[in-house]
Amino acid sequence: MENTIIEHMHAIVDEHIDAKDLNKLIKLFIQEKSQEKSPWSTITRCTHFMLGGNSPQIDRIAAATELIMLVQDIVDDLQDQDQENKPWMQCEPAYTLNAVLAFLISFFGELELLQGNHTRRLNKEISKIISRSINGQQKDISNSIETVDDYLIMVQEKSGSIIRLACYMGYASLDVSPQTIEHIDALADYAGLIHQIQNDMNDLNEIDNKSDLFLKKCTLPILYLLESEDTSFPLLKPFYQGRIRLDELIENKEAWLTYIDKSGCIEYSKIVQSICITKAEEIYEELLAIAPWKEKFRDSTYGSFV
């Protein structure tokens, strides 16, 4: 994350949070986040410039994007109870919750300062995007996914909406055609699917960590395995049915890794992912946007998979 973005994030926090201990804690969270290769501010800026924007406030807007995305990361970790090394997982839960509220207030307060007459429309659209993501997140954590179609809808809502929000922060103040918005929303949803499917495949090897398997989530490769007639690894279905414990799976980790390698679930997931990449490329070619920012937008969303 660029120093300019971090400085703006600190400035936003300073304007809204006076309590010294909370201010310090929030900046610790920001510092932790800054160590990652976060794409969100880049997506906001690229969207803005590729659609003809030239706002002198765009770095500040991009910093606000990073703030709301950090909230999403924190909440996700709290729900899954993983990432135990993160500072928001190590401090008192009440402090973390207060930090989340502070982030939200700072984010929405910043919109008032940045968008002026657009604030009412802006708040409504952002609320719709965030609500869509929450709906997807709820479907994910409640383990209500039963079919591939359920999964695809959930990921678009949960992950696609996050990318939609980063894009919206870039074009909210611009006069953008409905067709362009439709293209950007579709690209965001496909990018969310592409990344989530990759995460799902990677997570198959993490059987002894707090992974999706640990939480009994029905990811794309897991759905394939649950539908399979292959009985060479008979523990998976009983585990998802609650008839055996996770430690019994962990004891058979080598057999599990051999099973997923031969089962076809990775190949199946890669095929679905490749279809998403193809669809994204088709929409990208139709998107009317300014170079080189259009290319940079693609790089920051799904370009590493092309």
Side-chain angles (χ1 to χ4, degrees), residues 255-287:
W256 164 254
L257 295 177
T258 300
Y259 173 58
I260 62 173
D261 186 53
K262 295 180 177 180
S263 68
C265 70
I266 297 296
E267 291 77 7
Y268 168 75
S269 298
K270 286 182 177 179
I271 289 171
V272 176
Q273 186 185 51
S274 69
I275 292 172
C276 293
I277 294 169
T278 299
K279 293 289 187 181
E281 285 288 88
E282 292 172 355
I283 296 167
Y284 173 79
E285 291 302 321
E286 295 178 0
L287 180 65

Side-chain angles (χ1 to χ4, degrees), residues 36 39 51 98 118 137 140 142-143 160 230 244 256 262 280 285:
E36 302 175 7
L51 298 180
N98 225 19
H118 296 283
Q137 181 78 347
D140 188 32
S142 64
N143 293 337
D230 185 353
I244 66 171
W256 164 254
K262 295 180 177 180
E285 291 302 321

Side-chain angles (χ1 to χ4, degrees), residues 42-297:
T42 301
I43 292 173
T44 292
R45 291 162 69 182
C46 288
T47 303
H48 184 76
F49 292 129
M50 78 176 184
L51 298 180
N54 60 359
S55 171
Q57 295 277 22
I58 189 57
D59 283 350
R60 182 89 168 194
I61 297 171
T65 300
E66 290 286 358
L67 284 179
I68 195 66
M69 297 306 179
L70 180 50
V71 171
Q72 194 272 338
D73 284 348
I74 293 171
V75 171
D76 192 57
D77 289 345
L78 288 172
Q79 289 172 338
D80 291 344
Q81 285 297 297
D82 57 3
Q83 303 294 334
E84 296 174 353
N85 61 321
K86 297 295 184 181
W88 47 82
M89 299 299 294
Q90 294 180 338
C91 67
E92 290 290 334
Y95 284 25
T96 298
L97 290 174
N98 225 19
V100 167
L101 292 174
F103 276 127
L104 290 171
I105 293 301
S106 298
F107 172 75
F108 282 102
E110 195 66 12
L111 298 182
E112 181 77 25
L113 296 173
L114 293 175
Q115 298 302 332
N117 295 332
H118 296 283
T119 300
R120 181 173 297 179
R121 175 176 62 83
L122 179 77
N123 286 340
K124 182 178 180 180
E125 289 301 317
I126 286 179
S127 296
K128 285 170 58 179
I129 296 170
I130 294 176
S131 295
R132 182 175 184 256
S133 180
I134 292 171
N135 286 331
Q137 181 78 347
Q138 181 62 30
K139 292 175 184 178
D140 188 32
I141 64 174
S142 64
N143 293 337
S144 62
I145 306 305
E146 297 180 354
T147 68
V148 171
D149 284 343
D150 290 342
Y151 168 88
L152 296 174
I153 292 170
M154 178 274 292
V155 172
Q156 289 177 81
E157 290 177 344
K158 176 188 172 183
S159 303
S161 295
I162 297 300
I163 302 174
R164 283 191 184 194
L165 179 56
C167 296
Y168 183 74
M169 292 292 288
Y171 71 77
S173 61
L174 306 177
D175 185 14
V176 181
S177 72
Q179 184 181 43
T180 297
I181 294 173
E182 183 179 335
H183 285 160
I184 289 175
D185 284 349
L187 278 172
D189 282 354
Y190 279 120
L193 281 165
I194 292 165
H195 284 277
Q196 187 60 58
I197 292 170
Q198 189 63 48
N199 290 342
D200 290 348
M201 290 188 289
N202 294 342
D203 213 37
L204 288 173
N205 295 320
E206 302 298 324
I207 189 172
D208 46 1
N209 292 325
K210 287 189 175 180
S211 62
D212 288 338
L213 189 63
F214 178 92
L215 298 169
K216 294 184 180 179
K217 291 186 178 182
C218 287
T219 64
L220 187 62
I222 291 295
L223 285 167
Y224 177 90
L225 294 174
L226 292 174
E227 289 294 321
S228 174
E229 300 297 328
D230 185 353
T231 59
S232 60
F233 188 82
L235 299 178
L236 182 65
K237 291 179 182 179
F239 171 67
Y240 269 81
Q241 293 165 354
R243 294 191 284 116
I244 66 171
R245 300 187 308 275
L246 178 66
D247 55 8
E248 293 182 60
L249 288 185
I250 295 175
E251 290 172 2
N252 292 273
K253 182 176 181 178
E254 291 303 316
W256 164 254
L257 295 177
T258 300
Y259 173 58
I260 62 173
D261 186 53
K262 295 180 177 180
S263 68
C265 70
I266 297 296
E267 291 77 7
Y268 168 75
S269 298
K270 286 182 177 179
I271 289 171
V272 176
Q273 186 185 51
S274 69
I275 292 172
C276 293
I277 294 169
T278 299
K279 293 289 187 181
E281 285 288 88
E282 292 172 355
I283 296 167
Y284 173 79
E285 291 302 321
E286 295 178 0
L287 180 65
L288 298 178
I290 299 170
W293 298 104
K294 180 181 178 181
E295 292 75 15
K296 291 182 179 180
F297 171 83

